[in-house]
Amino acid sequence: MTILSSDIRSKYLEFFKTKNHAIIPSAPLVPENDPSVLFNTAGMQPLVPYLLGEPHPLGKRLADVQKCVRTGDIDDVGDDTHLTFFEMLGNWSLGDYFKEESIAMSWEFLTNPQWLGLDPEMISVTVFEGDENAPRDEESAEIWKKIGVPEHKIAYLPAEDNWWAAGPTGPCGPDSEIFYWMGAGKPPMNSNKGTDPDNWMEIWNNVFMQYNRIDEKTLVELPAKCVDTGMGIERCTVTLNKLKSVYETDLFVPSLTKIREMVGNEKYNEKSARIIADHIRSATHMISDGVVPKNIDQGYILRRLIRRAIREAHKMGFEGIFTNEIAKIYISQFEDIYPSIKENSEKILTELTNEENRFAKTLKDGIKEFEKIVRGFDIAFKKTGNRPTQIAGTRAFTLFDTYGFPLEMTIELAKEKNLTVDVEGFNKAFQAHQEKSRTAAAGKFKGGLGDNSAETVALHSACHLMLAGLREVLGEHVHQAGSNITPERLRFDFTHPEKMTDEQKKAVEEYVNNAIQKGFATSISQMPKEEAKAQGVEGSFWEKYPDIVKVYTMTDTDGTVYSRELCGGPHVENSQDMGTFKITKEEASSAGVRRIKATLTK
């Protein structure tokens, strides 16, 4: 019997709803206020603040399906297992239940006929074997035995397999992984992940945040223990159906069928088709969460995925516009699961088509640039009698970076001219570029902040007051279009069609300084996004925020509300030491968008 991915997803959430878990929506792919990564890469990532003690507005029992992107193994996409986009199912206890109830619920969901109804004989588990840093997890092992798992199906494995830690210090604890038999027939006696690792595939992991590591030698029990579990839908679907490849599941068969129809049986290449199917799936979700193709940060990854997909189509001899046709399959597949897909369906198709058209032009320009390099070699031969035989890595990277020219195409064209490409030099140039991108990403902070110094935080609060002042003076058509804040100044882009007058700038300054001088206080609340919209909370880029949002309110002692806006913080708690606000420049940023630069002086 085929087990569909949609059934796994819906049954999982339905099951945990019966166990008094609040079903929370997926956070967007782009993390809120976490500049250390470009995308959410794990189910637990958006919930870290709550696992570390911050109260969640929906309670202590949560369950969700989280969208994730990982591109570290992008070159392996096309094999049987690697993907760039995946979905993680998870249930969470924030200081509520612990090992016994977590393990019991996992077992019930997997084996009860009302839910997945798996054969218990096909399941084995692992627990932490203990080491000099932490004790053996006999508690979990005894719970597994108590619910019916035979002792020979329980493997004790080391920390590298069964220990989770947030970092060198902080919350940590053992985990217990659940595996499904992938071998022929029933598993033999004494077969488990420890004795027979190749025949068991992980389907679920229960992490028990039990300890707080103070230092290398000190581990203390946490006062409020948490549970964090994760089950990948794609891996679970392929494993439970005993398929060889994730691309054989219902998640990918429709798109691969469409690609085969598009290119024809004779030119169809399975690996190329898989890369297209994976990359357009990821691109569809990225665009739905507000990412657009660019040459930096998330946009750089998106552009690379789309252009890789186009290149794979070209390798199969197909040069027409096609990405939106593949995306339509994924829109249909996910629009009832993730609201952002349905809400942004037209944007998804438009961005994909635009990027295809752009790349068609850069491909042609790139070929011209390549031919120019070859002509240079011919000129060198005429002058010196020596013909260069290798294209420098830096030139190959220019073709890639400036013209979006895939390295593989440069190598293929070079081969036709009896030339080689300095791939090592290309990789060095690429790594240098990536280091610059990572440095830029690491320099970002909450809400466009360059850092979290007192000066920067004060300017961030002034930014909120200024936006409120702009809306008061210019009208409610004004919204944020971008910001960048350093300790020295704020730069703020906003929607407005014309240059501000001196009187308008002065009125905005007075609005901000009046709030500062009166001594506003900042408060934070959490509420559903739709409720925030209904209450008139100011915000831009709503699609990038989760369904539960943080709202910062700046209020005078007499109850006057100066600003109420979506934000991730941080802000001053009181305005006493902010200084005097001054607009130093107001200018055009782009069509329909103005830019202000401003300072605070004491």
Side-chain angles (χ1 to χ4, degrees):
M1 181 184 74
T2 300
I3 299 176
L4 299 176
S5 61
S6 54
D7 288 340
I8 294 172
R9 186 191 296 107
S10 61
K11 285 184 176 183
Y12 185 93
L13 297 178
E14 184 184 347
F15 172 79
F16 280 100
K17 193 173 183 180
T18 70
K19 301 298 182 182
N20 300 315
H21 286 62
I23 308 304
I24 60 174
S26 171
L29 280 171
V30 179
E32 180 189 6
N33 301 328
D34 184 356
S36 64
V37 290
L38 294 176
F39 296 102
N40 279 316
T41 59
M44 60 89 70
Q45 196 171 328
L47 289 168
V48 167
Y50 308 108
L51 291 166
L52 297 180
E54 184 178 323
H56 194 283
L58 295 182
K60 294 185 175 183
R61 291 184 173 216
L62 310 172
D64 73 349
V65 53
Q66 173 62 43
K67 299 176 286 187
C68 302
V69 162
R70 292 180 190 170
T71 57
D73 297 324
I74 190 171
D75 291 332
D76 294 321
V77 170
D79 64 8
D80 289 336
T81 59
H82 286 90
L83 301 170
T84 54
F85 171 87
F86 59 97
E87 298 174 272
M88 284 299 294
L89 295 163
N91 59 284
W92 323 84
S93 167
L94 308 177
D96 186 12
Y97 60 82
F98 201 48
K99 292 180 182 179
E100 185 153 10
E101 197 166 351
S102 178
I103 289 172
M105 286 190 289
S106 297
W107 185 254
E108 181 183 353
F109 177 71
L110 292 173
T111 62
N112 190 307
Q114 183 183 349
W115 305 108
L116 292 189
L118 303 181
D119 182 349
E121 289 187 48
M122 307 293 277
I123 296 172
S124 73
V125 300
T126 62
V127 296
F128 178 52
E129 72 175 7
D131 56 24
E132 68 278 7
N133 296 311
R136 187 176 176 93
D137 190 11
E138 293 289 9
E139 183 183 2
S140 292
E142 289 304 316
I143 295 168
W144 282 118
K145 292 175 192 175
K146 182 179 172 183
I147 63 174
V149 177
E151 190 166 355
H152 70 267
K153 291 274 188 69
I154 302 171
Y156 290 85
L157 296 183
E160 63 181 355
D161 299 298
N162 282 87
W163 183 266
W164 180 89
T169 60
C172 56
D175 60 61
S176 183
E177 296 183 333
I178 305 171
F179 296 82
Y180 192 75
W181 173 252
M182 294 296 285
K186 293 286 182 79
M189 182 66 73
N190 298 323
S191 174
N192 59 45
K193 184 63 178 177
T195 61
D196 188 10
D198 293 340
N199 282 314
W200 293 94
M201 181 69 74
E202 179 200 341
I203 54 174
W204 205 347
N205 188 17
N206 285 245
V207 175
F208 304 120
M209 296 184 196
Q210 186 172 355
Y211 302 102
N212 184 28
R213 182 168 295 287
I214 307 301
D215 54 42
E216 190 176 327
K217 296 181 179 179
T218 311
L219 207 63
V220 297
E221 292 265 349
L222 283 169
K225 299 177 176 65
C226 294
V227 174
D228 156 24
T229 85
M231 175 191 284
I233 288 181
E234 293 83 1
R235 177 184 284 191
C236 193
T237 306
V238 73
T239 302
L240 299 186
N241 287 291
K242 288 207 166 185
L243 299 172
K244 181 185 177 187
S245 166
V246 68
Y247 295 98
E248 297 175 56
T249 68
D250 61 308
L251 292 160
F252 288 99
V253 167
S255 55
L256 291 174
T257 301
K258 181 68 177 179
I259 294 166
R260 185 182 289 274
E261 291 173 0
M262 182 179 79
V263 304
N265 277 327
E266 290 184 6
K267 294 185 176 180
Y268 180 84
N269 177 277
E270 180 66 20
K271 183 172 183 179
S272 290
R274 288 179 175 187
I275 292 170
I276 293 170
D278 169 83
H279 287 11
I280 300 304
R281 183 175 184 248
S282 292
T284 298
H285 284 280
M286 287 181 186
I287 296 169
S288 80
D289 279 346
V291 182
V292 294
K294 291 182 180 178
N295 282 331
I296 58 170
D297 297 339
Q298 291 91 349
Y300 177 82
I301 302 298
L302 173 61
R303 172 161 283 166
R304 185 182 178 199
L305 291 172
I306 297 171
R307 294 190 174 191
R308 269 187 120 232
I310 295 167
R311 169 63 183 146
E312 293 302 323
H314 279 227
K315 284 166 71 173
M316 291 188 284
F318 188 87
E319 297 184 5
I321 299 296
F322 72 94
T323 57
N324 55 2
E325 292 302 316
I326 307 303
K328 286 175 184 176
I329 294 170
Y330 293 125
I331 290 170
S332 175
Q333 194 176 92
F334 288 105
E335 63 183 354
D336 293 331
I337 301 165
Y338 302 112
S340 61
I341 293 283
K342 180 177 283 187
E343 292 167 7
N344 295 290
S345 58
E346 287 303 316
K347 181 183 178 184
I348 292 165
L349 301 178
T350 299
E351 290 290 349
L352 286 170
T353 301
N354 288 346
E355 184 65 9
E356 274 197 273
N357 288 329
R358 277 191 293 264
F359 191 41
K361 183 180 186 307
T362 57
L363 270 176
K364 291 176 183 176
D365 291 343
I367 289 172
K368 289 179 183 177
E369 183 67 17
F370 176 84
E371 290 171 347
K372 191 188 297 183
I373 294 170
V374 175
R375 283 198 300 273
F377 287 1
D378 291 339
I379 292 169
F381 176 67
K382 289 177 182 177
K383 287 183 176 180
T384 66
N386 293 319
R387 183 187 297 275
T389 60
Q390 187 176 69
I391 296 173
T394 52
R395 300 295 295 273
F397 182 74
T398 298
L399 286 170
F400 171 79
D401 188 46
T402 304
Y403 300 98
F405 217 64
L407 175 63
E408 298 91 340
M409 182 178 281
T410 303
I411 292 171
E412 288 171 11
L413 290 171
K415 191 175 181 180
E416 292 172 8
K417 302 290 184 180
N418 295 315
L419 299 169
T420 61
V421 176
D422 178 11
V423 175
E424 185 178 344
F426 174 90
N427 289 334
K428 286 180 180 177
F430 183 81
Q431 286 168 6
H433 175 82
Q434 290 291 78
E435 286 300 323
K436 286 182 182 178
S437 296
R438 276 194 287 271
T439 302
K444 292 183 176 179
F445 197 70
K446 302 175 180 180
L449 277 63
D451 60 35
N452 62 344
S453 65
E455 294 82 2
T456 304
V457 172
L459 280 164
H460 186 205
S461 296
C463 207
H464 276 235
L465 292 170
M466 182 183 67
L467 176 56
L470 286 167
R471 287 170 59 80
E472 177 83 12
V473 174
L474 302 178
E476 294 192 356
H477 64 280
V478 173
H479 299 287
Q480 178 181 341
S483 70
N484 178 265
I485 304 171
T486 70
E488 292 77 31
R489 59 97 182 110
L490 69 81
R491 188 184 72 211
F492 186 80
D493 292 354
F494 60 99
T495 53
H496 186 59
E498 58 192 16
K499 183 178 181 179
M500 290 177 68
T501 66
D502 290 342
E503 291 77 15
Q504 289 170 333
K505 286 185 279 187
K506 185 177 179 182
V508 172
E509 288 176 343
E510 288 177 350
Y511 182 95
V512 176
N513 286 318
N514 181 54
I516 292 172
Q517 290 160 13
K518 283 195 171 183
F520 68 84
T522 303
S523 62
I524 180 174
S525 60
Q526 297 187 67
M527 64 182 70
K529 182 160 59 176
E530 294 306 315
E531 182 181 327
K533 283 184 179 179
Q535 290 185 14
V537 172
E538 172 58 13
S540 298
F541 319 114
W542 284 86
E543 71 279 1
K544 292 187 178 181
Y545 285 87
D547 277 25
I548 301 296
V549 295
K550 292 180 180 178
V551 177
Y552 277 82
T553 305
M554 297 174 180
T555 313
D556 193 354
T557 52
D558 64 5
T560 301
V561 175
Y562 293 113
S563 171
R564 195 158 187 250
E565 188 175 344
L566 289 187
C567 189
H571 286 285
V572 297
E573 294 182 3
N574 194 287
S575 65
Q576 297 299 317
D577 298 320
M578 284 179 65
T580 302
F581 176 79
K582 176 70 176 174
I583 294 175
T584 58
K585 193 169 188 178
E586 191 271 344
E587 60 189 350
S589 174
S590 59
V593 176
R594 305 294 297 177
R595 171 170 290 174
I596 277 178
K597 292 181 180 177
T599 60
L600 284 170
T601 55
K602 295 183 180 179

